[in-house]
Amino acid sequence: MIERNGEGVGASYRHVSKTAQFGQSAALGNTLLKWYEIAPDGEPVPPSVSDLARLGLADAARLGELRLGGELGFVILHRCGGGFYFLLVSTWQNDNELWETVWAKDGDQDREFHPWPLDGTHRPTFCVWELGVVAHERLAWARFLSSARDRDARLEYMRDTYEGVV
């Protein structure tokens, strides 16, 4: 990973498309989460990494290390490059706010996902690929907010997913 400190786009950077795939939803406590995986074409997230991410989140929630507010949200497991992964857990709270918890795994040196340390007041949120999923989820949430917001509307929100190029 190139250390940039937020300074624009490097001259050697070449942007590539990635694909978002929808996976089996997850429940953490009272929160239902859609599950997305983003990876370069031909290099999907290995099932062992996906399983490790799911198990890590479930364990963290069970042990009280991960406290989510909100009843609905989504997860993005992003294969950033090489063996580096971001695990982004987002929940809808306070009616119309998207809250996020960031975890990461850096190759074989990290045996599991761990909270991503963030210093300073101005820090990264989502990358251009993750924003493809976030854009869909924003529209899905707006549809939910305009609905009856009952059980059927929750089920419809959970079925309202995205797959494709990001």
Side-chain angles (χ1 to χ4, degrees):
M1 220 175 187
I2 297 172
E3 187 72 29
R4 285 236 173 269
N5 297 325
E7 296 177 11
V9 179
S12 65
Y13 178 80
R14 298 294 173 259
H15 188 73
V16 298
S17 294
K18 293 187 180 185
T19 302
Q21 297 286 325
F22 181 73
Q24 183 177 350
S25 298
L28 292 178
N30 295 326
T31 306
L32 294 176
L33 299 164
K34 301 178 190 181
W35 190 277
Y36 294 96
E37 295 183 357
I38 296 175
D41 291 336
E43 298 177 56
V45 174
S48 60
V49 174
S50 183
D51 292 346
L52 185 66
R54 288 176 180 273
L55 181 62
L57 289 179
D59 285 349
R62 183 178 47 79
L63 296 171
E65 297 169 358
L66 177 63
R67 292 189 176 100
L68 301 177
E71 296 177 353
L72 298 171
F74 58 96
V75 171
I76 299 173
L77 175 55
H78 182 184
R79 184 175 196 169
C80 299
F84 188 88
Y85 296 85
F86 271 126
L87 180 60
L88 312 172
V89 183
S90 299
T91 59
W92 294 104
Q93 297 188 47
N94 299 329
D95 303 327
N96 56 20
E97 297 174 359
L98 184 62
W99 289 40
E100 180 187 37
T101 300
V102 180
W103 291 46
K105 180 182 181 320
D106 193 0
D108 292 335
Q109 65 203 32
D110 285 340
R111 295 181 54 214
E112 58 190 25
F113 283 85
H114 55 83
W116 182 253
L118 295 172
D119 297 323
T121 58
H122 192 62
R123 50 187 167 230
T125 56
F126 298 102
C127 75
V128 67
W129 297 287
E130 295 154 1
L131 282 169
V133 171
V134 173
H136 170 83
E137 286 300 315
R138 180 213 128 352
L139 293 172
W141 189 248
R143 285 187 287 274
F144 175 77
L145 291 176
S146 297
S147 73
R149 298 192 298 270
D150 57 8
R151 182 180 181 278
D152 289 342
R154 283 181 178 77
L155 291 173
E156 182 57 32
Y157 169 77
M158 292 301 293
R159 285 191 291 262
D160 190 347
T161 61
Y162 176 79
E163 286 193 330
V165 175
V166 290

